[in-house]
């Protein structure tokens, strides 16, 4: 009976040892996965910060381009007005020239 109990104790000790080894392996695996999770979380945070900075830069670029576009539109409108005035003046000069040419003849 004593031998049987001793054998059972030995078997239980072997199982405990195996369970302890498996537990240590799982703790190590958990530790590795936890570190990977922390690394990925930091990577995600860095990526989000970078995306926010780029988005802000893009907003500023768009704002500057819109302001520049307004200025160019104003300049174009002014140039078109000047062109129209010059065309009218050209028409007047042609009329005057025709009149002068007619008087000269």
């Amino acid at each position: 009976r004593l031998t049987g109990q001793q054998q059972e104790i030995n078997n239980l000790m072997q199982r405990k040892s195996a369970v302890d080894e498996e537990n240590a392996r799982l703790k190590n695996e958990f530790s590795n996965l936890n570190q990977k999770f922390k690394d990925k979380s930091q990577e995600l945070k860095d990526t989000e910060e970078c995306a926010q900075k780029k988005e802000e830069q893009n907003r500023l670029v768009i704002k500057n381009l819109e302001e520049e576009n307004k200025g160019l539109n104003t300049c174009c409108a002014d140039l078109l007005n000047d062109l129209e005035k010059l065309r009218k003046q050209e028409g007047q000069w042609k009329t005057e020239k025709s009149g002068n040419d007619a008087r000269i003849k």
Side-chain angles (χ1 to χ4, degrees):
R1 184 176 162 200
L2 184 60
T3 304
Q5 287 179 343
Q6 190 64 40
Q7 185 63 39
E8 189 177 334
I9 288 172
N10 287 341
N11 290 341
L12 289 172
M13 292 299 287
Q14 287 176 352
R15 280 179 46 200
K16 180 188 180 298
S17 179
V19 167
D20 286 346
E21 286 177 18
E22 179 68 8
N23 194 26
R25 187 188 68 75
L26 290 173
K27 280 183 181 180
N28 189 38
E29 186 177 339
F30 174 76
S31 178
N32 291 339
L33 290 172
N34 199 33
Q35 186 60 46
K36 284 182 184 178
F37 173 74
K38 287 178 183 177
D39 293 345
K40 291 294 181 185
S41 294
Q42 185 62 44
E43 186 179 330
L44 176 63
K45 181 180 175 185
D46 294 345
T47 302
E48 287 174 343
E49 287 176 3
C50 183
Q52 286 177 343
K53 287 178 185 176
K54 293 239 184 230
E55 193 174 310
E56 183 60 30
Q57 288 174 345
N58 287 342
R59 271 193 231 115
L60 288 174
V61 167
I62 289 169
K63 181 181 176 186
N64 290 336
L65 289 173
E66 286 173 345
E67 288 177 11
E68 186 177 343
N69 192 38
K70 283 180 186 177
L72 291 172
N73 284 339
T74 301
C75 185
C76 284
D78 292 344
L79 289 171
L80 287 172
N81 287 334
D82 290 348
L83 179 62
E84 188 60 33
K85 286 177 186 175
L86 290 171
R87 284 184 178 158
K88 285 180 183 177
Q89 191 175 26
E90 178 188 24
Q92 290 172 351
W93 287 344
K94 283 183 180 179
T95 303
E96 282 180 29
K97 184 177 183 297
S98 294
N100 290 337
D101 288 345
R103 273 189 289 165
I104 288 172
K105 285 182 183 180

